[in-house]
Amino acid sequence: MNYFRKKPMPLIGEKTSELKKDLKTMDLILLGLGAIVGTGIFVITGTAAANTAGPALIVSFVIAAFSCVLSALCYAEFASRVPVAGGAYSYVYTIFGELAGWLVGWLMICQYLLANASVASGWSGYVNGFLDGIGLGLPMALRASYNAATGSYIDLIAVLVTLGVSYLVVQGAKKALRLNNLMVIVKFSLIALFVIVGVFYVKPENWTPFAPFGMKGVVSGAAFVFFAFLGFDSVSTAAEETKNPQRDVPRGIIGSLGIATLLYIGVTLVLTGLVPFAQLNVKDPVAFAMRFIGQDVIAGMISVGAILTLLTVLISMTYGLARLIYAISRDGLLPEKLSEVDEKSHSPKNATATAGAISAVLAGFVPLERLAELTNIVTLMVFIIIAAGIIQLRKEFGQPGEKEFKVPLVPFLPVLSIAVCLYLMIQLSLSVWLAFGAWLIVGFVFYVAYGHNHSKLNL
C-alpha cells in the first residue's frame, strides 16, 4: 500500500473546482478577523489577566502572536504557491503525501468541530442571559448539554444557531461573508468605543505590579491566550474562491493576524488600567469594566456586541470546515457526496450541511469543557507540520516565483516555529496527549479502511 503518493502541484491559473471566485483581500481579512476576534477579546482577556499574567498580559499576547506569526508566514507561502481549497490539508498532501495529508485534515476537522461547538455553546450562554433578563428564559432542560446533576438535556439555542449559520453558509461565500463583514465592522466599532471611552478613566497605578505572577505567569498566559489567535488559517481554505489567491490570501492571513494582535494589546492595556487585575476573573470583562466606571449604557452595548462577535466566529469556522470537508471528499478520502457543489450558490452544500449537523450535535449534547485543550494541541501539531512542509517545499520546488509570497530566513524561521510550538505542546497534560493520540489512531484506521481504497489517486 502506497501511503505516500502525492497530489500534483496545481498550475497557476488552473481551474481546480466549480466554486465561484468572488473574494478579494478585504473579504479575506474580514473573514480572518471574524474567526480570530471573538471570545479572545471579550472573555479570555479578563480570566488570563486575573489568574496568570496580570497587566503583563500584553506581553503574553505578544509571545502568543509571535508564535502564530511564524506559522502565518508559512501558511502565506503555501497559500500563494498551492492555491487550492483545504488549507493545510492540501498543502501537506502535496508535499508529504496522502497519509500525512489525511491525518492533518483529520486533525483540522477535530479543531473546527470543537471550535464550532464551543462557540455555539458560548453564544447560547449570552442569549440565555438576555432572555432571562426580559423574563423569557428557557427551562433548565433546554439550556445546556446533558448533565444529570443539573437537569439539563440539550442546549437548544446552540443547536438552532449552528443549523442557522450552516444554512446561511450554504447560500454561498459572498452572501455568508457579507453578513460576517457587516458584523465584524459593528464589533470593531464597539471595541473602538470601549478603548476611546475607557482611556479617559485609566488609572496607571492599576498597572502596578506589572507582572504579579512573574515570568512564569507571563509564559503561562501566552499558552492560555494562544486560543485567542486561532482562526487565521481559515483564510487559506478560501483560496479557490479568491480572485487572485497568490496575492490576496497571504495578505488576508497576515493582515487579519496583525490587526487582531493590535486590538488585543490595546484592549488589554485599557482593561487592566480601568480595573485592578484581580477583579477581572469574570465572564464578561470588557462589559464589566464599563460597569465598573459607571458606563452602564456602553456596557449593555458591548454585551450585545459580544453576541454578534461569537456569531461571526461561528460563520467563519463553519465556512472553513465546509471547505475542508469538500476538499477531502473531492480527493476521495471522504464519501464523494460531500464534494457536490450546489448549481445555484456554487457552494459545497452537502459538506456544509454535514459540518453544521455534527457541530450542532456536539454543541447541543456534549459537555466540551474537558476537550478545550485538545483544540490547542491539534492546532499546534498542524503548525509544526506546515513549518516542516515549507522546508520540504523549497527542496522540491525551489524558491517562490516573483509574484508569490516568500517566507524569509528559511530554514531558520520554520525551525523556530517548530520549536515554539513544541514548547507550548509540552505544557499540556497527559490526558490531553492521550486524547490526541486516540483521535489520530481513529483517523489512521478510517484511512486504511476507507480513504486509501477510495482515493482519486487510486484510479
Side-chain angles (χ1 to χ4, degrees):
M1 298 177 73
N2 183 8
Y3 293 155
F4 303 102
R5 54 196 179 191
K6 299 178 181 179
K7 290 175 67 174
M9 177 74 89
L11 300 175
I12 301 302
E14 176 185 6
K15 182 174 175 59
T16 54
S17 75
E18 304 171 62
L19 301 179
K20 191 174 182 180
K21 289 184 174 291
D22 265 340
L23 308 180
K24 299 179 181 179
T25 298
M26 188 52 64
D27 293 310
L28 297 179
I29 289 176
L30 292 174
L31 170 65
L33 288 171
I36 299 169
V37 182
T39 53
I41 207 161
F42 286 106
V43 180
I44 289 177
T45 46
T47 305
N51 297 333
T52 59
L57 184 64
I58 59 169
V59 181
S60 301
F61 272 119
V62 171
I63 294 171
F66 175 71
S67 67
C68 288
V69 165
L70 293 174
S71 298
L73 292 173
C74 297
Y75 268 91
E77 180 169 329
F78 265 121
S80 69
R81 302 184 71 180
V82 190
V84 293
Y89 155 75
S90 295
Y91 308 154
V92 173
Y93 198 161
T94 302
I95 298 303
F96 290 126
E98 188 169 270
L99 177 58
W102 160 255
L103 289 177
V104 165
W106 186 245
L107 292 174
M108 292 174 66
I109 288 173
C110 175
Q111 171 194 339
Y112 279 118
L113 284 174
L114 290 175
N116 266 0
S118 60
V119 169
S121 297
W123 195 84
S124 172
Y126 274 103
V127 175
N128 274 314
F130 174 76
L131 292 176
D132 289 342
I134 60 175
L136 296 175
L138 295 176
M140 189 61 209
L142 304 178
R143 294 172 67 98
S145 55
Y146 178 74
N147 187 330
T150 61
S152 62
Y153 293 92
I154 179 174
D155 191 335
L156 181 61
I157 290 177
V159 171
L160 293 177
V161 72
T162 304
L163 295 177
V165 166
S166 301
Y167 175 77
L168 174 66
V169 174
V170 166
Q171 304 309 305
K174 199 66 177 179
K175 287 183 180 179
L177 297 186
R178 189 178 295 125
L179 177 60
N180 177 76
N181 296 351
L182 175 62
M183 288 191 290
V184 167
I185 291 170
V186 172
K187 170 173 50 180
F188 274 39
S189 300
L190 292 171
I191 292 171
L193 179 63
F194 168 76
V195 172
I196 292 170
V197 172
V199 74
F200 291 101
Y201 293 87
V202 165
K203 296 180 179 179
E205 58 266 27
N206 286 334
W207 292 327
T208 305
F210 182 67
F213 303 98
M215 193 60 198
K216 182 179 180 182
V218 173
V219 174
S220 297
F224 186 75
V225 301
F226 178 80
F227 291 102
F229 290 98
L230 301 187
F232 71 83
D233 53 321
S234 64
V235 175
S236 65
T237 66
E240 287 184 22
E241 292 164 279
T242 303
K243 291 184 176 181
N244 188 344
Q246 283 74 30
R247 181 195 67 192
D248 295 340
V249 175
R251 289 180 178 179
I253 292 171
I254 295 172
S256 60
L257 188 57
I259 293 171
T261 301
L262 293 176
L263 284 174
Y264 284 140
I265 292 173
V267 168
T268 301
L269 269 174
V270 174
L271 186 66
T272 54
L274 292 177
V275 184
F277 72 90
Q279 299 182 40
L280 286 172
N281 190 20
V282 294
K283 292 183 178 180
D284 57 344
V286 176
F288 172 79
M290 287 291 101
R291 291 194 296 270
F292 188 83
I293 60 174
Q295 297 290 338
D296 292 342
V297 173
I298 295 177
M301 294 171 63
I302 288 173
S303 294
V304 173
I307 294 176
L308 296 176
T309 294
L310 293 175
L311 202 55
T312 64
V313 177
L314 195 55
I315 291 172
S316 299
M317 290 295 187
T318 301
Y319 175 91
L321 176 57
R323 270 59 185 173
L324 172 63
I325 293 173
Y326 162 80
I328 298 175
S329 170
R330 187 178 59 184
D331 293 334
L333 304 183
L334 285 174
E336 188 176 358
K337 277 280 186 182
L338 296 174
S339 60
E340 290 184 2
V341 175
D342 185 81
E343 293 182 2
K344 183 179 179 181
S345 65
H346 297 280
S347 67
K349 57 179 182 179
N350 291 339
T352 307
T354 300
I358 298 174
S359 297
V361 170
L362 289 172
F365 296 97
V366 182
L368 296 173
E369 291 84 358
R370 296 182 181 178
L371 295 177
E373 285 184 308
L374 184 56
T375 306
N376 201 343
I377 194 170
V378 161
T379 306
L380 287 166
M381 178 55 73
V382 173
F383 285 177
I384 287 172
I385 297 172
I386 285 293
I390 285 294
I391 298 173
Q392 186 64 25
L393 179 68
R394 295 287 183 91
K395 286 183 179 179
E396 289 193 27
F397 299 97
Q399 296 288 321
E402 183 180 344
K403 295 184 178 181
E404 295 173 339
F405 185 86
K406 181 179 180 180
V407 177
L409 302 176
V410 174
F412 173 72
L413 284 187
V415 169
L416 180 59
S417 177
I418 292 171
V420 171
C421 290
L422 280 174
Y423 176 74
L424 292 175
M425 287 177 74
I426 63 176
Q427 311 300 315
L428 301 174
S429 65
L430 176 61
S431 62
V432 174
W433 278 93
L434 292 175
F436 173 67
W439 182 257
L440 280 179
I441 290 171
V442 172
F444 178 76
V445 170
F446 184 91
Y447 171 74
V448 172
Y450 179 90
H452 184 272
N453 295 328
H454 289 80
S455 170
K456 292 295 174 66
L457 295 186
N458 235 6
L459 303 178

